[in-house]
Amino acid sequence: MAKSHQGKKASKKMAVKPAPKKATRKTAPKKAVAAPAAATFPGHWAPAAMPKIQGNNKKSATTKPKNRKTTTVEKGTLTTIHGKHPFTVTVDDKNEVELKVALQNFNPHTVSGVENLQNLKEQLISFLQQRPADQTTGRRKISELPRFTGDQLVVLNPDMDVSTLEKFAAKSSLKIASSRDYLSQPESALELAKMQGDGIVFHDLNVALINSQSQDKLVKLMNSNTGSGKFLSREPERWIYALNESSSVSPAAAYIDDKTASWGVHATNCIQSALTGKDIRLAILDTGYNSQHPNFRGKQVVSRSFIPESTTAEDDEGHGTMCAGIASGQYHDILKYRYGVASNIALYVGKVLDNQGKGREGNLITAVQWAVANQCKIISMSLGSSVKPDDQESVAFETVAASALKRGTLLIAAAGNESNRKYGYIAPVLYPANGPSVMAIGAVDASLQLYNDSCGGTADGGGQIDLVGPGVKIISAYLATQNYAVDSGTSMAAPFVAGLAALYWEQNPTASAAEIWLKLTQTAKRLNLSATDVGAGLASLR
């Protein structure tokens, strides 16, 4: 089933028209998805659940009675592509076998209940040889991270004046501040407003954020006769995370396709055009950016931090800098080849994630309102929160995205890197990309084959992919330690599409956000891959 909103589609052959304003839940054709664990490592291994490794009888060394004696029967080293892994095999006085292995670049693990030691060792070697590098220590899957902050997002009646709503809430002892009053003040003011009251309302986006300690007041108000038509729904606020892909950043020079440009610039046909996205306002909402990077000097850049830990949008993590570089960079300052898409955009950088790549949904919504208020045409988000198979899309963020789209701002988001297609596992599209009013972007490599970890449309209600972009071994700007780096994933693909949207907007300055969405899907390069994985195809300039 095609995604129902402006410009969304799943068909490879026909372009779609913008759908009616009413958004419906994203769905995809029903398609069986193989369980990742049982198929390859029956009884012992669960690749999708790594780094946990567990034996059949679930008896581990930590639960074994202290009076049992163990004897080491084998000791050695397993050598794989990830390094050398010392291991020991012990047998206790009840003849229970236990394998302990210190996996280099992984967390240490103990496997109990071993029935066939040799077979188990072979499976361990096979597992490590095939495991993607992004499973190493420090690069956890988002599905393993905390989901909710404890605060609540509330969808407001769009027909009610916000000031009237604030007064109504105040009568019920619910003190709600206005975000509009704080966006022009220092970065810390917004957080202070939340601390001093019960929550904050986001003008023009029809949502409010209510603090955890005020939940009882909110529930009472929503259940009252007068409040039910004003506060339409509520849901938990999410933690959001940068979509980190690889275990480490690689030296950039090894992956350059030719002396002219990176493969992503060639694949999207940017190299063939004189368009530069001149003066189109594009916002990157991420970990910030490296303001001292040579490729950002002299550019139009407006930046702001939306997290309490930082007063500036300076990036100490690197993820946001790479995204900003792809969308707005031009030429490598030393090697002089092109790696960015739209070099003359007016760049807006919102720091919504801290230097560990973590943030709150409320900060993201605040940054969206800031970008919309500053008339940004495009918002690029390479971040996300996990989605369970039976989850619905966020009503609150869909309200935000639909409001932004109506006001002329196109939201583009990375689909996520939770899949492991080598094992037959396709994860659903992450929040916020799974919303009908957000363009969801998957990733392909230089052979235009799907990136192994790219999320996709699933049979169990996950969001649908709209387009794919270059996302494997992508070079971009980085931190001052090395200035350039190479990384992989849907995080790299999303700013490619955002940059292309800026080029199309320069070409069609009076176009609406829905029309640019349609243009991107109509001009995409069709791929011989499932539409549930690549949508309309590879975003490209024509």
Side-chain angles (χ1 to χ4, degrees), residues 263-448:
W263 78 263
V265 172
H266 283 295
T268 54
N269 286 331
C270 296
I271 198 72
Q272 304 297 329
S273 174
L275 295 170
T276 62
K278 182 173 175 56
D279 297 331
I280 301 298
R281 297 186 180 188
L282 185 154
I284 300 288
L285 306 184
D286 210 282
T287 59
Y289 81 122
N290 174 10
S291 63
Q292 300 304 309
H293 194 282
N295 289 149
F296 297 130
R297 292 176 191 160
K299 283 187 178 294
Q300 302 178 64
V301 182
V302 179
S303 65
R304 182 183 173 108
S305 172
F306 293 91
I307 61 172
E309 299 90 340
S310 178
T311 58
T312 72
E314 200 63 35
D315 184 10
D316 290 327
E317 202 275 350
H319 191 266
T321 299
M322 294 198 76
C323 294
I326 293 168
S328 69
Q330 188 172 13
Y331 291 93
H332 191 295
D333 66 308
I334 298 174
L335 301 181
K336 308 303 180 185
Y337 53 79
R338 182 176 173 182
Y339 73 93
V341 178
S343 59
N344 283 326
I345 61 171
L347 180 63
Y348 281 68
V349 177
K351 185 178 178 70
V352 298
L353 304 174
D354 63 22
N355 292 328
Q356 282 70 52
K358 181 180 180 182
R360 301 177 69 119
E361 187 177 11
N363 296 335
L364 175 62
I365 293 173
T366 309
V368 170
Q369 179 171 322
W370 168 78
V372 171
N374 280 283
Q375 300 180 337
C376 289
K377 294 290 190 181
I378 306 132
I379 296 175
S380 180
M381 303 172 289
S382 292
L383 45 75
S385 184
S386 66
V387 172
K388 303 299 181 183
D390 57 348
D391 282 355
Q392 305 290 323
E393 72 265 7
S394 166
V395 176
F397 200 84
E398 171 56 22
T399 301
V400 169
S403 299
L405 195 64
K406 183 178 179 180
R407 292 175 178 275
T409 301
L410 175 61
L411 272 63
I412 295 172
N417 312 306
E418 302 295 291
S419 296
N420 198 332
R421 293 171 180 272
K422 288 182 180 180
Y423 295 102
Y425 176 62
I426 302 174
V429 176
L430 297 185
Y431 160 94
N434 66 336
S437 297
V438 180
M439 180 171 272
I441 309 302
V444 292
D445 62 20
S447 299
L448 302 188

Side-chain angles (χ1 to χ4, degrees), residues 54 69 72 78 93 114 161 191 204 214 231 258 275 285 288 318 337 349 371 378 402 408 426 435 438 456 515-516:
Q54 195 171 51
K69 295 181 179 180
T72 299
L78 298 173
D93 52 8
V114 178
D161 179 76
E191 196 68 22
D204 306 326
S214 304
F231 297 82
D258 60 35
L275 295 170
L285 306 184
Y337 53 79
V349 177
I378 306 132
I426 302 174
V438 180
E515 288 170 337
I516 294 299

